[in-house]
Amino acid sequence: MTTTPAIETVGLTKRFGDFTAVQDVSLQIGPGEIFGFLGPNGAGKSTTIRCLLDLIRPSEGECRIVGLDSRKDAVEIRRHLGFLPSDLALYPNLTGRETLEFLANLRGGVDWTWVDALADRLDADLGKKVGELSSGNRQKVGLIQAFMNRPEVVILDEPITGLDPLVQLEFHTLMREQVAEGRTVFLSSHTLSEVERVADRVGFIRRGHLIAVERMDELKDKALRRVTLEFAHPVAVDAFDGVEGVHSVSAEGDTVTAQYEGSMAPLLKVATAHDVLSLSSASVDLDEIFLEFYRDEVSEAEGDAEDVPAAAAAGERA
């Protein structure tokens, strides 16, 4: 397997006037990897993708796909790439199959046995006009066109929009099969739960800053738990200051909620010094784990950026 990164950005920066949408983003994504690219709407995800695809030009830095320069080699890159935008637009008067035939001709032809297999797996109706399809069924056509030329790299921006749970599972299986063959999937989303089942690594972007890149298994190893304690009388939050493993504590009336990692014993030692009436514990969402461990980096990124101006927001929808 080649050691050339499937996707690479070096110091990628994109400014719209005085507003910096993406600031000094450097990424390396290897062949045979599903990479989750996560951040809230307006964080810089779509701007990064558009720079990778040469749809907009970086203000600074470089972008490469399969070792090719996104700007100089834009035409050649299209031979190796599949792409599903978040704002998918298709010709409404063409059927799904006519749409795929049109796109296949632009790419010099495809294996229609493979295309039919994709349509069958995703339960896509290719006989209806696109304008008559639901948003979920239009999304299926978009997914098929992204994978139909068996690209080395697939870039997907919010791909599961409108898909029912069974189709989502089949789509996850499809992605896993592709990376098992050495292909790469770049999966952009604003929801961590969407990618945690399939991603090998995940990058978090906030206000245009790449905050962290983590292996998904290592992020899960940082798992926090949340315990809710009900006391016979109010207990001050500062009673839990400095307790080993405790990350954050809040109180409301007689109830205290704490996030912790590792053993619960130090937390219980403090709690049982008071009159505990009940206790419940649950896992914390990965989104919250990320925010807890990277709170300082998030605060710094948000402190460095202002709200997106209307003109910039129009170019950064997801």
Side-chain angles (χ1 to χ4, degrees):
M1 183 180 293
T2 178
T3 57
T4 302
I7 295 174
E8 185 176 21
T9 66
V10 180
L12 173 62
T13 298
K14 178 61 182 177
R15 288 184 287 270
F16 296 95
D18 293 334
F19 173 73
T20 302
V22 174
Q23 178 67 53
D24 195 26
V25 169
S26 295
L27 273 174
Q28 276 199 356
I29 303 167
E33 179 177 13
I34 297 178
F35 186 87
F37 194 51
L38 296 170
N41 291 333
K45 301 188 304 298
S46 288
T47 296
T48 300
I49 288 173
R50 287 169 181 148
C51 288
L52 279 168
L53 298 174
D54 196 42
L55 300 177
I56 57 176
R57 296 286 167 84
S59 303
E60 297 173 16
E62 301 175 6
C63 300
R64 288 186 280 272
I65 294 177
V66 295
L68 300 171
D69 184 276
S70 289
R71 182 175 180 181
K72 298 175 184 176
D73 305 309
V75 174
E76 176 62 23
I77 282 173
R78 295 300 188 272
R79 306 177 198 273
H80 306 271
L81 184 71
F83 173 52
L84 175 67
S86 60
D87 51 353
L88 178 66
L90 301 171
Y91 294 111
N93 290 324
L94 295 182
T95 66
R97 180 165 290 277
E98 288 169 345
T99 299
L100 296 176
E101 288 173 346
F102 171 74
L103 295 172
N105 288 335
L106 292 178
R107 298 176 187 182
V110 297
D111 177 358
W112 284 99
T113 301
W114 168 242
V115 174
D116 290 337
L118 288 173
D120 184 60
R121 291 179 63 173
L122 297 176
D123 193 26
D125 184 350
L126 301 181
K128 286 186 177 179
K129 289 186 176 181
V130 168
E132 299 172 357
L133 296 175
S134 67
S135 60
N137 283 318
R138 284 196 301 274
Q139 193 74 351
K140 293 174 186 177
V141 176
L143 285 171
I144 293 168
Q145 67 79 31
F147 284 94
M148 68 180 183
N149 59 325
R150 296 184 184 270
E152 293 173 53
V153 175
V154 184
I155 297 177
L156 306 170
D157 199 354
E158 305 288 354
I160 67 169
T161 302
L163 300 181
D164 66 56
L166 288 177
V167 176
Q168 289 182 34
L169 287 174
E170 188 61 40
F171 167 56
H172 290 163
T173 301
L174 173 63
M175 285 193 292
R176 271 286 166 222
E177 291 171 356
Q178 296 302 296
V179 300
E181 296 176 4
R183 298 182 173 90
T184 301
V185 177
F186 183 94
L187 181 59
S188 175
S189 175
H190 65 274
T191 307
L192 183 52
S193 59
E194 178 183 337
V195 301
E196 65 177 287
R197 287 179 290 179
V198 291
D200 301 298
R201 287 191 303 147
V202 59
F204 297 90
I205 188 168
R206 304 275 294 198
R207 297 291 183 97
H209 294 256
L210 185 65
I211 301 296
V213 176
E214 289 267 13
R215 286 200 59 81
M216 187 58 74
D217 53 3
E218 292 175 356
L219 185 62
K220 289 178 178 178
D221 285 344
K222 293 181 176 180
L224 298 176
R225 294 189 67 79
R226 179 185 291 111
V227 61
T228 302
L229 299 148
E230 184 184 357
F231 295 94
H233 53 80
V235 175
V237 168
D238 58 14
F240 298 90
D241 286 352
V243 176
E244 181 184 352
V246 173
H247 282 261
S248 62
V249 184
S250 61
E252 184 174 343
D254 299 335
T255 301
V256 171
T257 302
Q259 290 185 6
Y260 70 96
E261 61 175 322
S263 171
M264 192 191 292
L267 176 62
L268 288 179
K269 185 176 180 179
V270 174
T272 52
H274 306 271
D275 190 359
V276 181
L277 299 181
S278 67
L279 177 152
S280 61
S281 179
S283 297
V284 175
D285 290 342
L286 286 179
D287 303 68
E288 296 181 61
I289 295 172
F290 162 71
L291 289 173
E292 182 61 38
F293 278 96
Y294 293 99
R295 187 177 303 278
D296 291 344
E297 289 88 342
V298 170
S299 297
E300 182 180 346
E302 295 186 346
D304 286 348
E306 299 174 356
D307 288 337
V308 181
E316 178 57 46
R317 294 299 184 191

